Structure formats: structure tokens, C-alpha cells
Amino acid sequence: MLLPTKGVSPERALMTVGSEILEDLRHPMSVSALWERCSNRQNSTNNTHRITYDWFSLALAALYAMKAVDVTDDGYIRTAHVH
């Protein structure tokens, strides 16, 4: 799931989806705004491997577990600051 396997294509691997999420996360934003941005990018590129919201949320959870993103006091998602 995290990495491509026989059953998971490289475009759907959570690490790939997570990297696309990080590209879209230029400033703190709500989960719904981030999903909308990711979804719009998929629509504009005619991606045949579109991800669902469930898969998006799994990728976001993986980023949080890896401490690549965190949550502001206001509840927005942002890239984690390196200390």
C-alpha cells in the first residue's frame, strides 16, 4: 500500500499520492480544500488512476504518521516544520 506492489500501481501507492498532496500544500489549508485541490489536479490531467477520498485520507494519515504534515491550532493541515 505504501509502496507499489503487484496489486498497487505506482500512481496509486500512498507514497506517490502523499507526494502529490505535499505539492498541493503550499500554505495551511483545510482537509476539504486540500482534497478539492488534489481532485481538481486529477481532473485537469485526465488521470486514468484517479484516487478516491478514502485513498486520499489514507495518504494524508500516512504523512501525519511520518510527521511530514501537522495540524495548526485552527485545524488546518500544513507541512511540518523541521526543528
Side-chain angles (χ1 to χ4, degrees):
M1 256 171 66
L2 283 174
L3 298 172
T5 64
K6 282 196 224 177
V8 178
S9 69
E11 295 85 13
R12 287 187 41 99
L14 291 178
M15 293 300 290
T16 304
V17 176
S19 70
E20 292 170 357
I21 290 172
L22 288 175
E23 286 178 13
D24 288 336
L25 194 57
R26 303 272 186 243
H27 53 82
M29 61 179 61
S30 68
V31 173
S32 59
L34 185 56
W35 164 245
E36 185 175 327
R37 182 173 278 193
C38 290
S39 182
N40 287 341
R41 181 179 28 77
Q42 287 183 53
N43 290 336
S44 68
T45 60
N46 294 324
N47 190 347
T48 58
H49 297 282
R50 297 197 57 207
I51 61 163
T52 62
Y53 182 79
D54 294 346
W55 205 251
F56 163 82
S57 63
L58 281 172
L60 193 56
L63 290 173
Y64 184 77
M66 292 184 285
K67 300 185 188 293
V69 298
D70 60 9
V71 181
T72 67
D73 292 337
D74 297 335
Y76 292 105
I77 304 296
R78 67 177 176 192
T79 54
H81 299 289
V82 178
H83 300 287

